[in-house]
Amino acid sequence: MTTTSGGNISVIDDNGDIWVTPSAVDKGSLRPSDIMCIRRDGSLVGRHKPSSEFPFHKAIYEMRPDIRAVIHAHPPALVSFSIVHEIPNTNVISQAKYICGPIGYAAYELPGSHLLGERIACEFKKGYKALIMENHGTVLGGNNLLDAFQRFETLEFCARTILYGKTIGTPRFLADEDIAAFESYIAAQLPEMAEVRYSSDEREKTNGNLQHRSPRLRTGLMISTYGTVSVRWSGNDFLITPTRVPRWDLQIGDIVQIKNGMREPGKMPSRTAWLHQEIYRRNPGINSIIVTQSPYLMAFGVTHSLLDVRTIPESWLFLQDIPSLPFGIHKMNRQDIPELLSEGNPAVIIRNDSILVTGDKLLQTFDRLEVAEFSAKSLVMAKPIGQLVPINNQQVEELRMAFLRNKPISLRALDGPIHRKILWPKRLRNE
């Protein structure tokens, strides 16, 4: 999300001193001793020069006392919007509107100049916490560094999703009222149990959950503000990741136990916990679930395009079919997704929201997610050079006979209209 020496980060402390990254130092090797401090009286503390963009950091803090951290960078997708003088529409995914807030636009001024600082501060004065900087990049503020970073990461994700979506089709955006209605609806939580006990088996699964999750954050399969992982541990009871905890920061104690339809006391599981519960209840062969947003899969999610996984044998064997379902279908008490999932239908795309992937073991579920994202990426990258020539029905049947002879198969993967009618519940077909 930045180059070796590009971009800058700052925080302001309770004394009014501003701590900022140095100029011309590799961002990947920064140490605490590299961070420069500009005292309230203007004196410098540190062994480097402060960032050349310090003037607009200072101007933002003076204009907005509620902002305590600022991030400026030149991530590729947001720069793409910057150089065509456009603002990304954050209604492309469900949670971004509330994380990012309205997005401002600052006209071009010379980098490092006081005029640029004045221009940016003027936009922040209007109440924005995120700006597109014309022919430059982006700048974002927050009430702490984590808040600023999550806004930055989410805005760049929106921009990437829109751009990838435009490669394969036309992105569709959610109406404000749809987002508001959905956010208010999914706020309901499972009831709280009186006490909790963890068996050794649960603790082992909790460790496995975290070990599998961390590398996936680094490979871009999740962003810090969105992503849920759960594993079944006994009967229909399961362990699930919490809400409102940054995904890279999860500790063992954060994982939430769900037992007999009740949540562990004092913890807030993912807001989709009820959906995980219903999937486990209806599908005894499913023992782990991942709900996430990955950029290339979401390109299909926001354009409502068919993700045809008949690209290479691995993709079809792992996934067979990924139905695209309407936004809001994962609301409380809807059974469409639990009814649709099976070994032959291990994943679904929820439009403008997420990808939901299931499996027996957690490793298999992550593997399916990776294969799905790689397949989506290949399709996006192939679009400029030609149309997909899919594996044909005969080749699909050969794969089925060779590898899946005794396993359920998605009938819709055979690409016949009668199979679509067999697979899809009537109310889903109508939607």
Side-chain angles (χ1 to χ4, degrees):
M1 295 178 74
T2 188
T3 55
T4 300
S5 60
N8 30 81
I9 299 172
S10 72
V11 295
I12 186 169
D13 65 22
D14 292 338
N15 297 322
D17 300 335
I18 299 172
W19 301 76
V20 64
T21 49
S23 176
V25 176
D26 176 12
K27 296 295 186 294
S29 61
L30 284 175
R31 299 169 181 267
S33 58
D34 292 317
I35 306 303
M36 295 295 297
C37 179
I38 296 87
R39 300 290 190 197
R40 193 170 186 172
D41 62 8
S43 60
L44 299 180
V45 179
R47 56 196 180 97
H48 302 289
K49 288 183 179 179
S51 168
S52 61
E53 301 286 20
F54 172 73
F56 76 64
H57 288 250
K58 183 172 183 287
I60 291 171
Y61 292 130
E62 289 174 347
M63 187 63 70
R64 291 282 299 278
D66 60 308
I67 288 179
R68 313 299 291 176
V70 172
I71 295 175
H72 164 59
H74 322 123
L78 287 173
V79 166
S80 297
F81 279 84
S82 165
I83 62 180
V84 298
H85 300 188
E86 294 286 344
I87 294 173
N89 184 344
T90 57
N91 282 24
V92 72
I93 55 175
S94 55
Q95 83 278 15
K97 173 182 170 64
Y98 291 103
I99 294 172
C100 298
I103 312 301
Y105 185 88
Y108 181 85
E109 293 290 354
L110 182 69
S113 67
H114 286 283
L115 280 177
L116 178 61
E118 291 174 5
R119 178 82 68 178
I120 290 173
C122 183
E123 290 302 308
F124 270 87
K125 185 179 180 181
K126 298 174 184 178
Y128 297 117
K129 287 187 175 180
L131 302 182
I132 295 295
M133 299 168 64
E134 185 175 283
N135 290 92
H136 193 147
T138 187
V139 58
L140 308 98
N143 52 32
N144 55 48
L145 196 53
L146 175 61
D147 180 47
F149 177 79
Q150 290 184 331
R151 186 166 292 111
F152 171 45
E153 179 191 42
T154 303
L155 187 59
E156 170 70 0
F157 184 84
C158 287
R160 290 171 65 190
T161 301
I162 292 169
L163 295 176
Y164 296 155
K166 283 180 176 287
T167 303
I168 60 171
T170 301
R172 305 186 191 187
F173 300 93
L174 297 167
D176 288 344
E177 52 269 27
D178 291 336
I179 295 175
F182 183 73
E183 287 292 323
S184 63
Y185 195 91
I186 62 176
Q189 280 286 357
L190 297 174
E192 193 173 272
M193 64 180 77
E195 60 178 351
V196 64
R197 294 181 181 178
Y198 272 88
S199 66
S200 57
D201 180 54
E202 281 182 281
R203 296 190 185 281
E204 182 180 349
K205 288 183 183 292
T206 299
N207 278 317
N209 191 332
L210 291 175
Q211 289 168 3
H212 284 303
R213 190 184 187 92
S214 296
R216 273 65 193 183
L217 279 165
R218 293 195 294 271
T219 55
L221 291 174
M222 294 181 183
I223 58 176
S224 63
T225 57
Y226 196 103
T228 300
V229 178
S230 73
V231 290
R232 187 199 299 265
W233 67 274
S234 176
N236 293 327
D237 301 334
F238 58 98
L239 303 169
I240 191 168
T241 48
T243 189
R244 298 192 183 96
V245 177
R247 304 311 185 260
W248 66 69
D249 236 2
L250 285 175
Q251 304 297 318
I252 289 175
D254 295 322
I255 304 299
V256 186
Q257 182 190 93
I258 306 295
K259 187 173 184 179
N260 297 324
M262 305 181 77
R263 60 185 168 90
E264 187 173 344
K267 295 183 180 181
M268 296 297 286
S270 164
R271 294 182 296 177
T272 59
W274 70 269
L275 178 59
H276 292 241
Q277 179 175 264
E278 288 303 300
I279 292 171
Y280 289 132
R281 186 176 68 84
R282 286 179 171 269
N283 299 274
I286 292 175
N287 293 306
S288 67
I289 302 167
I290 299 172
V291 184
T292 189
Q293 292 170 337
S294 53
Y296 290 97
L297 284 166
M298 287 308 299
F300 288 85
V302 303
T303 56
H304 305 183
S305 301
L306 171 68
L307 176 60
D308 192 338
V309 297
R310 296 173 303 161
T311 51
I312 61 174
E314 180 191 48
S315 295
W316 186 83
L317 287 169
F318 272 65
L319 302 165
Q320 296 182 44
D321 184 36
I322 302 183
S324 176
L325 307 180
F327 177 76
I329 202 167
H330 49 322
K331 285 182 179 179
M332 186 81 79
N333 299 325
R334 291 201 59 161
Q335 298 297 320
D336 309 272
I337 293 175
E339 289 177 3
L340 188 60
L341 290 168
S342 66
E343 189 173 351
N345 265 128
V348 298
I349 289 174
I350 303 168
R351 297 172 193 161
N352 297 91
D353 188 88
S354 58
I355 172 82
L356 185 151
V357 186
T358 65
D360 179 17
K361 303 293 185 183
L362 187 56
L363 179 60
Q364 181 193 49
T365 310
F366 271 121
D367 203 5
R368 282 175 169 165
L369 173 60
E370 287 179 321
V371 170
E373 177 69 359
F374 272 51
S375 301
K377 184 175 182 178
S378 296
L379 288 165
V380 171
M381 295 176 73
K383 191 66 175 179
I385 58 175
Q387 293 296 320
L388 168 68
V389 181
I391 296 171
N392 62 40
N393 285 352
Q394 180 181 341
Q395 293 164 335
V396 166
E397 178 62 15
E398 290 171 352
L399 287 170
R400 187 186 71 80
M401 294 298 293
F403 298 98
L404 302 174
R405 183 188 294 267
N406 298 316
K407 295 183 178 181
I409 183 172
S410 166
L411 295 176
R412 197 163 81 93
L414 296 179
D415 200 32
I418 186 65
H419 296 134
R420 284 184 172 84
K421 291 181 181 178
I422 291 172
L423 182 66
W424 289 74
K426 182 177 180 181
R427 62 179 177 277
L428 255 184
R429 291 205 310 275
N430 292 337
E431 283 196 58

PDB file of all heavy atoms in Angstrom, residues 358-378:
ATOM      1  N   THR A 358     -16.919 -22.932   2.738  1.00  0.00           N
ATOM      2  CA  THR A 358     -17.022 -23.964   3.769  1.00  0.00           C
ATOM      3  C   THR A 358     -16.087 -25.124   3.454  1.00  0.00           C
ATOM      4  O   THR A 358     -15.581 -25.253   2.341  1.00  0.00           O
ATOM      5  CB  THR A 358     -18.463 -24.505   3.867  1.00  0.00           C
ATOM      6  OG1 THR A 358     -18.793 -25.167   2.629  1.00  0.00           O
ATOM      7  CG2 THR A 358     -19.452 -23.387   4.113  1.00  0.00           C
ATOM      8  N   GLY A 359     -15.871 -25.976   4.462  1.00  0.00           N
ATOM      9  CA  GLY A 359     -15.056 -27.169   4.254  1.00  0.00           C
ATOM     10  C   GLY A 359     -15.137 -28.091   5.450  1.00  0.00           C
ATOM     11  O   GLY A 359     -15.769 -27.773   6.464  1.00  0.00           O
ATOM     12  N   ASP A 360     -14.470 -29.226   5.321  1.00  0.00           N
ATOM     13  CA  ASP A 360     -14.416 -30.182   6.426  1.00  0.00           C
ATOM     14  C   ASP A 360     -13.448 -29.665   7.486  1.00  0.00           C
ATOM     15  O   ASP A 360     -13.827 -29.348   8.603  1.00  0.00           O
ATOM     16  CB  ASP A 360     -13.994 -31.553   5.901  1.00  0.00           C
ATOM     17  CG  ASP A 360     -13.899 -32.591   7.006  1.00  0.00           C
ATOM     18  OD1 ASP A 360     -14.456 -32.341   8.097  1.00  0.00           O
ATOM     19  OD2 ASP A 360     -13.262 -33.632   6.803  1.00  0.00           O
ATOM     20  N   LYS A 361     -12.176 -29.545   7.112  1.00  0.00           N
ATOM     21  CA  LYS A 361     -11.163 -28.995   8.007  1.00  0.00           C
ATOM     22  C   LYS A 361     -10.917 -27.528   7.652  1.00  0.00           C
ATOM     23  O   LYS A 361     -11.171 -27.092   6.531  1.00  0.00           O
ATOM     24  CB  LYS A 361      -9.849 -29.776   7.888  1.00  0.00           C
ATOM     25  CG  LYS A 361      -9.990 -31.272   8.156  1.00  0.00           C
ATOM     26  CD  LYS A 361     -10.335 -31.552   9.601  1.00  0.00           C
ATOM     27  CE  LYS A 361     -10.347 -33.057   9.863  1.00  0.00           C
ATOM     28  NZ  LYS A 361     -10.753 -33.362  11.264  1.00  0.00           N
ATOM     29  N   LEU A 362     -10.381 -26.787   8.605  1.00  0.00           N
ATOM     30  CA  LEU A 362     -10.119 -25.370   8.368  1.00  0.00           C
ATOM     31  C   LEU A 362      -9.120 -25.173   7.231  1.00  0.00           C
ATOM     32  O   LEU A 362      -9.255 -24.264   6.409  1.00  0.00           O
ATOM     33  CB  LEU A 362      -9.614 -24.712   9.654  1.00  0.00           C
ATOM     34  CG  LEU A 362      -9.456 -23.194   9.630  1.00  0.00           C
ATOM     35  CD1 LEU A 362     -10.766 -22.517   9.248  1.00  0.00           C
ATOM     36  CD2 LEU A 362      -8.971 -22.682  10.976  1.00  0.00           C
ATOM     37  N   LEU A 363      -8.108 -26.042   7.161  1.00  0.00           N
ATOM     38  CA  LEU A 363      -7.120 -25.931   6.090  1.00  0.00           C
ATOM     39  C   LEU A 363      -7.787 -26.091   4.727  1.00  0.00           C
ATOM     40  O   LEU A 363      -7.468 -25.368   3.774  1.00  0.00           O
ATOM     41  CB  LEU A 363      -6.019 -26.979   6.269  1.00  0.00           C
ATOM     42  CG  LEU A 363      -4.924 -26.972   5.190  1.00  0.00           C
ATOM     43  CD1 LEU A 363      -4.216 -25.629   5.155  1.00  0.00           C
ATOM     44  CD2 LEU A 363      -3.927 -28.100   5.436  1.00  0.00           C
ATOM     45  N   GLN A 364      -8.727 -27.032   4.608  1.00  0.00           N
ATOM     46  CA  GLN A 364      -9.427 -27.221   3.342  1.00  0.00           C
ATOM     47  C   GLN A 364     -10.233 -25.974   2.978  1.00  0.00           C
ATOM     48  O   GLN A 364     -10.290 -25.571   1.814  1.00  0.00           O
ATOM     49  CB  GLN A 364     -10.366 -28.429   3.426  1.00  0.00           C
ATOM     50  CG  GLN A 364     -11.117 -28.695   2.128  1.00  0.00           C
ATOM     51  CD  GLN A 364     -12.266 -29.675   2.288  1.00  0.00           C
ATOM     52  OE1 GLN A 364     -13.092 -29.530   3.187  1.00  0.00           O
ATOM     53  NE2 GLN A 364     -12.315 -30.676   1.431  1.00  0.00           N
ATOM     54  N   THR A 365     -10.837 -25.349   3.972  1.00  0.00           N
ATOM     55  CA  THR A 365     -11.638 -24.156   3.709  1.00  0.00           C
ATOM     56  C   THR A 365     -10.766 -23.014   3.219  1.00  0.00           C
ATOM     57  O   THR A 365     -11.113 -22.310   2.259  1.00  0.00           O
ATOM     58  CB  THR A 365     -12.410 -23.743   4.979  1.00  0.00           C
ATOM     59  OG1 THR A 365     -13.097 -24.886   5.493  1.00  0.00           O
ATOM     60  CG2 THR A 365     -13.426 -22.658   4.683  1.00  0.00           C
ATOM     61  N   PHE A 366      -9.621 -22.798   3.871  1.00  0.00           N
ATOM     62  CA  PHE A 366      -8.686 -21.769   3.394  1.00  0.00           C
ATOM     63  C   PHE A 366      -8.184 -22.103   1.998  1.00  0.00           C
ATOM     64  O   PHE A 366      -8.013 -21.218   1.152  1.00  0.00           O
ATOM     65  CB  PHE A 366      -7.509 -21.629   4.364  1.00  0.00           C
ATOM     66  CG  PHE A 366      -7.752 -20.636   5.458  1.00  0.00           C
ATOM     67  CD1 PHE A 366      -7.707 -21.017   6.786  1.00  0.00           C
ATOM     68  CD2 PHE A 366      -8.013 -19.305   5.172  1.00  0.00           C
ATOM     69  CE1 PHE A 366      -7.921 -20.104   7.809  1.00  0.00           C
ATOM     70  CE2 PHE A 366      -8.233 -18.386   6.187  1.00  0.00           C
ATOM     71  CZ  PHE A 366      -8.183 -18.781   7.507  1.00  0.00           C
ATOM     72  N   ASP A 367      -7.922 -23.381   1.752  1.00  0.00           N
ATOM     73  CA  ASP A 367      -7.450 -23.799   0.437  1.00  0.00           C
ATOM     74  C   ASP A 367      -8.484 -23.468  -0.630  1.00  0.00           C
ATOM     75  O   ASP A 367      -8.160 -22.935  -1.705  1.00  0.00           O
ATOM     76  CB  ASP A 367      -7.170 -25.306   0.463  1.00  0.00           C
ATOM     77  CG  ASP A 367      -6.180 -25.733  -0.617  1.00  0.00           C
ATOM     78  OD1 ASP A 367      -5.644 -24.857  -1.330  1.00  0.00           O
ATOM     79  OD2 ASP A 367      -5.926 -26.957  -0.736  1.00  0.00           O
ATOM     80  N   ARG A 368      -9.744 -23.763  -0.351  1.00  0.00           N
ATOM     81  CA  ARG A 368     -10.805 -23.429  -1.295  1.00  0.00           C
ATOM     82  C   ARG A 368     -10.903 -21.922  -1.527  1.00  0.00           C
ATOM     83  O   ARG A 368     -11.124 -21.462  -2.661  1.00  0.00           O
ATOM     84  CB  ARG A 368     -12.142 -23.967  -0.781  1.00  0.00           C
ATOM     85  CG  ARG A 368     -12.334 -25.458  -1.000  1.00  0.00           C
ATOM     86  CD  ARG A 368     -13.610 -25.962  -0.362  1.00  0.00           C
ATOM     87  NE  ARG A 368     -13.909 -27.326  -0.800  1.00  0.00           N
ATOM     88  CZ  ARG A 368     -14.790 -28.119  -0.210  1.00  0.00           C
ATOM     89  NH1 ARG A 368     -15.474 -27.677   0.852  1.00  0.00           N
ATOM     90  NH2 ARG A 368     -15.006 -29.334  -0.666  1.00  0.00           N
ATOM     91  N   LEU A 369     -10.757 -21.154  -0.459  1.00  0.00           N
ATOM     92  CA  LEU A 369     -10.795 -19.698  -0.594  1.00  0.00           C
ATOM     93  C   LEU A 369      -9.662 -19.210  -1.499  1.00  0.00           C
ATOM     94  O   LEU A 369      -9.869 -18.375  -2.384  1.00  0.00           O
ATOM     95  CB  LEU A 369     -10.710 -19.040   0.786  1.00  0.00           C
ATOM     96  CG  LEU A 369     -10.574 -17.514   0.803  1.00  0.00           C
ATOM     97  CD1 LEU A 369     -11.765 -16.850   0.121  1.00  0.00           C
ATOM     98  CD2 LEU A 369     -10.416 -17.012   2.235  1.00  0.00           C
ATOM     99  N   GLU A 370      -8.468 -19.729  -1.275  1.00  0.00           N
ATOM    100  CA  GLU A 370      -7.324 -19.318  -2.102  1.00  0.00           C
ATOM    101  C   GLU A 370      -7.532 -19.691  -3.562  1.00  0.00           C
ATOM    102  O   GLU A 370      -7.247 -18.897  -4.468  1.00  0.00           O
ATOM    103  CB  GLU A 370      -6.045 -19.955  -1.565  1.00  0.00           C
ATOM    104  CG  GLU A 370      -5.557 -19.337  -0.268  1.00  0.00           C
ATOM    105  CD  GLU A 370      -4.304 -19.995   0.268  1.00  0.00           C
ATOM    106  OE1 GLU A 370      -4.184 -21.234   0.172  1.00  0.00           O
ATOM    107  OE2 GLU A 370      -3.442 -19.272   0.786  1.00  0.00           O
ATOM    108  N   VAL A 371      -8.015 -20.898  -3.801  1.00  0.00           N
ATOM    109  CA  VAL A 371      -8.263 -21.332  -5.178  1.00  0.00           C
ATOM    110  C   VAL A 371      -9.337 -20.455  -5.826  1.00  0.00           C
ATOM    111  O   VAL A 371      -9.220 -20.055  -6.990  1.00  0.00           O
ATOM    112  CB  VAL A 371      -8.662 -22.818  -5.218  1.00  0.00           C
ATOM    113  CG1 VAL A 371      -9.159 -23.214  -6.620  1.00  0.00           C
ATOM    114  CG2 VAL A 371      -7.483 -23.704  -4.826  1.00  0.00           C
ATOM    115  N   ALA A 372     -10.382 -20.127  -5.073  1.00  0.00           N
ATOM    116  CA  ALA A 372     -11.443 -19.262  -5.602  1.00  0.00           C
ATOM    117  C   ALA A 372     -10.903 -17.885  -5.962  1.00  0.00           C
ATOM    118  O   ALA A 372     -11.207 -17.330  -7.027  1.00  0.00           O
ATOM    119  CB  ALA A 372     -12.578 -19.146  -4.593  1.00  0.00           C
ATOM    120  N   GLU A 373     -10.083 -17.303  -5.079  1.00  0.00           N
ATOM    121  CA  GLU A 373      -9.515 -15.973  -5.348  1.00  0.00           C
ATOM    122  C   GLU A 373      -8.558 -16.014  -6.530  1.00  0.00           C
ATOM    123  O   GLU A 373      -8.560 -15.108  -7.385  1.00  0.00           O
ATOM    124  CB  GLU A 373      -8.808 -15.447  -4.090  1.00  0.00           C
ATOM    125  CG  GLU A 373      -8.110 -14.105  -4.266  1.00  0.00           C
ATOM    126  CD  GLU A 373      -9.048 -12.922  -4.470  1.00  0.00           C
ATOM    127  OE1 GLU A 373     -10.283 -13.116  -4.494  1.00  0.00           O
ATOM    128  OE2 GLU A 373      -8.537 -11.793  -4.601  1.00  0.00           O
ATOM    129  N   PHE A 374      -7.733 -17.056  -6.635  1.00  0.00           N
ATOM    130  CA  PHE A 374      -6.817 -17.181  -7.771  1.00  0.00           C
ATOM    131  C   PHE A 374      -7.605 -17.349  -9.073  1.00  0.00           C
ATOM    132  O   PHE A 374      -7.221 -16.797 -10.113  1.00  0.00           O
ATOM    133  CB  PHE A 374      -5.874 -18.370  -7.562  1.00  0.00           C
ATOM    134  CG  PHE A 374      -4.619 -18.012  -6.809  1.00  0.00           C
ATOM    135  CD1 PHE A 374      -4.685 -17.328  -5.611  1.00  0.00           C
ATOM    136  CD2 PHE A 374      -3.373 -18.370  -7.297  1.00  0.00           C
ATOM    137  CE1 PHE A 374      -3.531 -16.999  -4.911  1.00  0.00           C
ATOM    138  CE2 PHE A 374      -2.206 -18.043  -6.604  1.00  0.00           C
ATOM    139  CZ  PHE A 374      -2.293 -17.355  -5.413  1.00  0.00           C
ATOM    140  N   SER A 375      -8.692 -18.123  -9.018  1.00  0.00           N
ATOM    141  CA  SER A 375      -9.523 -18.310 -10.207  1.00  0.00           C
ATOM    142  C   SER A 375     -10.137 -16.985 -10.640  1.00  0.00           C
ATOM    143  O   SER A 375     -10.133 -16.639 -11.836  1.00  0.00           O
ATOM    144  CB  SER A 375     -10.623 -19.330  -9.927  1.00  0.00           C
ATOM    145  OG  SER A 375     -10.078 -20.582  -9.555  1.00  0.00           O
ATOM    146  N   ALA A 376     -10.666 -16.234  -9.677  1.00  0.00           N
ATOM    147  CA  ALA A 376     -11.254 -14.931  -9.987  1.00  0.00           C
ATOM    148  C   ALA A 376     -10.204 -13.984 -10.552  1.00  0.00           C
ATOM    149  O   ALA A 376     -10.458 -13.253 -11.520  1.00  0.00           O
ATOM    150  CB  ALA A 376     -11.893 -14.343  -8.732  1.00  0.00           C
ATOM    151  N   LYS A 377      -9.017 -14.006  -9.969  1.00  0.00           N
ATOM    152  CA  LYS A 377      -7.932 -13.140 -10.452  1.00  0.00           C
ATOM    153  C   LYS A 377      -7.560 -13.489 -11.887  1.00  0.00           C
ATOM    154  O   LYS A 377      -7.346 -12.602 -12.725  1.00  0.00           O
ATOM    155  CB  LYS A 377      -6.718 -13.269  -9.533  1.00  0.00           C
ATOM    156  CG  LYS A 377      -5.567 -12.341  -9.895  1.00  0.00           C
ATOM    157  CD  LYS A 377      -4.444 -12.435  -8.876  1.00  0.00           C
ATOM    158  CE  LYS A 377      -3.312 -11.476  -9.209  1.00  0.00           C
ATOM    159  NZ  LYS A 377      -2.227 -11.541  -8.190  1.00  0.00           N
ATOM    160  N   SER A 378      -7.470 -14.784 -12.188  1.00  0.00           N
ATOM    161  CA  SER A 378      -7.130 -15.209 -13.551  1.00  0.00           C
ATOM    162  C   SER A 378      -8.182 -14.731 -14.545  1.00  0.00           C
ATOM    163  O   SER A 378      -7.858 -14.296 -15.657  1.00  0.00           O
ATOM    164  CB  SER A 378      -7.004 -16.729 -13.615  1.00  0.00           C
ATOM    165  OG  SER A 378      -5.943 -17.183 -12.804  1.00  0.00           O
TER     166      SER A 378
END
